[in-house]
Amino acid sequence: MSIAQPPIPVRETPAAMIPQPNPAFPDASAEPVLDMDEIQGNIIPGFLKDFETLLFLSITDPGQCKEWIKHITPFIATAEEVLTFNRLFKQIRYRRGYEAGTVKATWVNIAFSFQGLRKLRPDADQFTDQAFKDGLAAHSKDLGDPTGENDEGNPKNWVIGGPGNEADILLIVQSDDYEDMQHEVQRIKQSIYDLLSGRTRVPSGVELLYEEYGANPPGRLSGHEHFGFLDGVSKPGIRGRVSNDPHDVLTPRQNPRDPHQGKPGQDLLWPGEFVFGYQHQDPSREVEKPSDDKASAGPDWAKDGSYLIFRRLRQDVGAFHAFLHAHGQQVGVPPAFLGTKIIGRWPDGEPIMRDQQAGNQLVLGNDDCANNDFEFVHQDPSLHNPSSQLPPDELPPAGTSDQCHIPQVPNSSFMPSPGDPTGEICPFAGHIRKAYPRDDITPAGRGKASGRDEESDLSERATQTHRLLRRGLPYGPISPSAFGNPVHDQVDRGLLFIAYQTSIERQFEFVIKAWVNNRDFSQQGAGFDLVIGQNSQDNRQRTATISLNPVQNQTLQLQANQEWVIPTGGGYFFAPSISALKKELSS
Ligand code: HEM
């Protein structure tokens, strides 16, 4: 007798088989054709591998380093290669029904700090993003990081990226297979220690400063970060085609109700938000409309590149779980429920905004057609709500089963999001609401229009200019701690947070300073993001307002006297195009 097992969450669930290019998608001729052979593959579409090594290098001899860059450039994975692989991977997974390991790949990408670029290019000063030029360590205090001499979070004590310990180059190696990754890392190290130029061995001009290993947890923990929540669920949709075909788009258009979304709830943004050389969002226009100009980093050769943020964030899992346990007991709610309020999603990824039906969290969390289909202010006509199914004559022709209104899970019908303008369901302090407030009214729109809908619209136009392309993976061993049974084991584990964007100031730093660390965002008294927020004042104590039971009007004022996410390394980098590597950075 076989026992049915619940599905193991995968890092990106397939909505259905998506042939691409796809004539069922809306015509995207107005969107640019992306230089897929130029853009590095971890920017778009993203590696999404299970194993990762980060190599941090220092340039010791710029002339020799250029030779080494020449050597490594053919190994740098392009967006074209990674997209082709990802499409094949999904196709096979869909046909086989599980991740069979039939196709595997190992990818490498590269990025440079401002100081690194300066060693190689006299015109590096043309970069305009001041945060990139100053570097992360110099901005750490402004981001709220600890400043005490002995504080682990003080850049002086970081394992990499503190003063005098900043990397010039970051190499990202990711693979589906641990041993394949090790081979690639060894090959790269060999080139660093002993570069072969023709038949002669020459110094590489680079030196290994630091090495870090990360991995997607195995089995049922797949895709989860160390606190126990599914990560990487919500990602910005990116406009743009990958060939001249008007239907060959980077982000599949799976929402039959809204041509401006990828998956339901995934708003499409103009690619200049994440890659230089393309039109970007313009907050003075509707979200769907592009800017007149194209995103520019300064130097011409920065086209098709992107800024990369790296933060090594140690997670004190025992401390977080103990906090949930103690406060949960106080008010009589399970610790996992309190954690869910603090994140904004259940551990299995289900958004708390669509949480009215108990019991099918895993199913909803694992359904990409439903798990982002919500707003905060407005009620959403969900596709997975039986009352909002399209009438039969509006259904696409048989055989194009790529649209989200055909439920992936038979009989699954999730309740729609009711909207939550007062923060009763998802607290304003919730991590996902702080880091991406969707249609919430923010200072960008508040008081600037006659009605709530207009205020929300103006706010969202601005909000969409503060998005991040996240590419993080956990590091360190899995924690024995659980929500109901906190374990303090003093083991170093956490998140290797990586995000791409075209403005460090307007995207990563803005989100941290104006939203996450701001107790009055997006509403007065909302409190801090209790996951990553930092309070550089008040003895670093963080407060947050959490509504527990809207019916009984039960609200909890939480106070955290310690942090459980501690910065222990990092850096600001720029990931150039393949042409820039070949021409500007290796000659
Ligand atoms: C150890 C630190 C962190 C943990 C444990 C963590 C955890 C999570 C989890 C569980 C989610 C929900 C799943 C998802 O939508 O992907 C999430 C979403 C998100 N996080 Fe974090 N995160 C961390 C650090 C950061 C940092 C440093 C940022 C930078 C601002 C950030 C920004 C975001 C954003 C933008 C979202 C998506 C919100 C949305 O689109 O709905 N996170 N995070």
Side-chain angles (χ1 to χ4, degrees):
M1 188 181 78
S2 70
I3 299 168
Q5 294 288 331
I8 290 179
V10 289
R11 291 182 64 75
E12 194 192 21
T13 49
M17 181 52 213
I18 306 176
Q20 290 193 46
N22 191 325
F25 292 163
D27 183 314
S29 337
E31 297 178 21
V33 176
L34 302 162
D35 286 337
M36 298 296 282
D37 287 326
E38 287 292 342
I39 302 167
Q40 293 194 46
N42 199 31
I43 308 170
I44 52 167
F47 290 165
L48 304 172
K49 299 291 181 212
D50 286 342
F51 303 99
E52 172 176 76
T53 300
L54 303 178
L55 298 172
F56 297 84
L57 313 180
S58 160
I59 300 174
T60 49
D61 183 313
Q64 286 161 350
C65 173
K66 287 181 180 176
E67 282 302 312
W68 177 80
I69 293 171
K70 206 178 280 176
H71 157 83
I72 200 144
T73 297
F75 296 93
I76 302 302
T78 65
E80 178 67 36
E81 291 165 352
V82 177
L83 181 73
T84 305
F85 174 91
N86 289 0
R87 283 180 173 182
L88 176 65
F89 178 87
K90 283 186 186 179
Q91 206 175 331
I92 292 175
R93 183 175 63 185
Y94 177 73
R95 212 160 74 79
R96 306 262 194 293
Y98 69 107
E99 297 192 358
T102 320
V103 287
K104 300 189 292 181
T106 302
W107 304 126
V108 182
N109 267 187
I110 191 167
F112 298 81
S113 70
F114 177 63
Q115 292 308 334
L117 289 177
R118 275 187 104 186
K119 291 182 184 173
L120 301 169
R121 297 280 314 172
D123 62 354
D125 284 329
Q126 290 175 7
F127 276 91
T128 52
D129 194 295
Q130 197 54 46
F132 173 59
K133 290 168 130 173
D134 295 342
L136 172 60
H139 281 217
S140 151
K141 186 169 174 244
D142 278 357
L143 296 172
D145 294 352
T147 50
E149 205 50 34
N150 298 320
D151 286 336
E152 185 190 9
N154 180 332
K156 283 187 189 158
N157 303 317
W158 287 0
V159 299
I160 183 70
N165 190 22
E166 285 159 289
D168 293 324
I169 296 178
L170 167 61
L171 283 175
I172 302 173
V173 184
Q174 275 200 15
S175 180
D176 293 299
D177 183 281
Y178 177 75
E179 285 190 4
D180 290 353
M181 178 189 67
Q182 291 295 70
H183 278 128
E184 188 60 14
V185 169
Q186 282 315 317
R187 200 193 55 73
I188 293 170
K189 283 185 180 169
Q190 189 66 36
S191 77
I192 292 172
Y193 300 137
D194 208 6
L195 180 63
L196 203 58
S197 172
R199 293 182 162 201
T200 326
R201 300 201 176 277
V202 293
S204 64
V206 289
E207 201 173 84
L208 183 60
L209 276 184
Y210 184 73
E211 181 174 349
E212 185 81 61
Y213 167 67
N216 177 33
R220 298 203 49 72
L221 290 176
S222 175
H224 290 66
E225 50 72 43
H226 283 297
F227 291 147
F229 293 87
L230 191 66
D231 203 357
V233 182
S234 167
K235 309 180 175 81
I238 304 175
R239 291 183 187 273
R241 291 175 286 145
V242 299
S243 73
N244 285 326
D245 186 317
H247 303 283
D248 196 7
V249 286
L250 176 70
T251 307
R253 313 295 153 98
Q254 293 169 253
N255 187 347
R257 284 182 181 277
D258 189 345
H260 301 295
Q261 293 194 338
K263 293 175 180 140
Q266 184 191 38
D267 292 336
L268 292 169
L269 304 182
W270 290 86
E273 290 300 311
F274 307 106
V275 187
F276 289 109
Y278 301 92
Q279 287 164 298
H280 51 97
Q281 294 301 120
D282 178 344
S284 69
R285 296 178 177 176
E286 293 156 51
V287 171
E288 298 78 39
K289 304 250 165 74
S291 61
D292 288 334
D293 62 334
K294 295 177 177 171
S296 161
D300 290 344
W301 54 267
K303 181 176 184 306
D304 290 316
S306 182
Y307 287 125
L308 181 164
I309 304 292
F310 167 62
R311 289 273 262 180
R312 184 184 192 274
L313 298 169
R314 185 172 77 71
Q315 290 175 257
D316 188 338
V317 181
F320 183 56
H321 288 172
F323 179 85
L324 299 181
H325 195 249
H327 287 273
Q329 259 181 351
Q330 245 171 36
V331 288
V333 298
F337 176 69
L338 199 53
T340 296
K341 286 279 185 179
I342 287 173
I343 294 277
R345 287 187 187 268
W346 284 90
D348 287 321
E350 181 199 19
I352 199 165
M353 288 301 303
R354 301 195 59 188
D355 187 30
Q356 300 89 342
Q357 277 180 338
N360 64 354
Q361 279 103 349
L362 177 59
V363 179
L364 170 47
N366 219 12
D367 186 337
D368 269 356
C369 285
N371 62 17
N372 267 304
D373 196 10
F374 64 94
E375 298 283 355
F376 290 121
V377 169
H378 291 99
Q379 184 179 11
D380 228 30
S382 159
L383 290 166
H384 278 240
N385 170 21
S387 61
S388 74
Q389 289 294 320
L390 287 182
D393 58 340
E394 283 183 39
L395 291 173
T400 52
S401 60
D402 44 352
Q403 301 288 28
C404 273
H405 64 275
I406 298 176
Q408 183 194 353
V409 183
N411 301 324
S412 75
S413 53
F414 310 119
M415 294 297 282
S417 161
D420 182 30
T422 53
E424 285 169 6
I425 302 171
C426 182
F428 289 111
H431 178 56
I432 67 161
R433 197 160 185 171
K434 277 279 187 183
Y436 173 37
R438 296 180 186 234
D439 64 341
D440 260 337
I441 297 170
T442 70
R446 187 172 294 123
K448 294 179 184 142
S450 50
R452 193 188 74 169
D453 285 354
E454 248 183 286
E455 282 189 328
S456 161
D457 181 49
L458 284 181
S459 303
E460 190 170 357
R461 292 178 190 193
T463 291
Q464 296 296 6
T465 66
H466 304 297
R467 303 292 305 280
L468 298 165
L469 264 190
R470 291 176 298 139
R471 303 281 185 243
L473 267 182
Y475 76 90
I478 290 160
S479 168
S481 186
F483 295 118
N485 183 22
V487 177
H488 301 271
D489 63 358
Q490 314 298 326
V491 171
D492 184 12
R493 61 170 67 83
L495 183 67
L496 302 174
F497 179 84
I498 286 181
Y500 292 97
Q501 63 247 268
T502 47
S503 170
I504 297 176
E505 293 176 329
R506 195 192 66 242
Q507 288 160 283
F508 174 70
E509 290 202 344
F510 183 92
V511 171
I512 297 293
K513 292 195 280 191
W515 292 353
V516 163
N517 290 355
N518 177 357
R519 75 183 91 197
D520 290 322
F521 181 83
S522 60
Q523 299 286 320
Q524 195 79 22
F528 290 84
D529 174 336
L530 289 183
V531 184
I532 56 166
Q534 301 189 90
N535 183 3
S536 52
Q537 280 132 33
D538 307 329
N539 221 4
R540 302 194 68 81
Q541 280 171 350
R542 300 170 300 153
T543 48
T545 307
I546 306 285
S547 156
L548 286 181
N549 186 336
V551 183
Q552 293 164 9
N553 206 8
Q554 189 187 6
T555 301
L556 183 62
Q557 291 296 332
L558 286 177
Q559 180 173 311
N561 296 329
Q562 81 169 97
E563 285 138 353
W564 25 79
V565 171
I566 299 112
T568 53
Y572 289 162
F573 298 90
F574 174 74
S577 68
I578 302 299
S579 284
L581 284 168
K582 276 189 194 154
K583 297 178 201 146
E584 276 75 14
L585 296 165
S586 57
S587 59

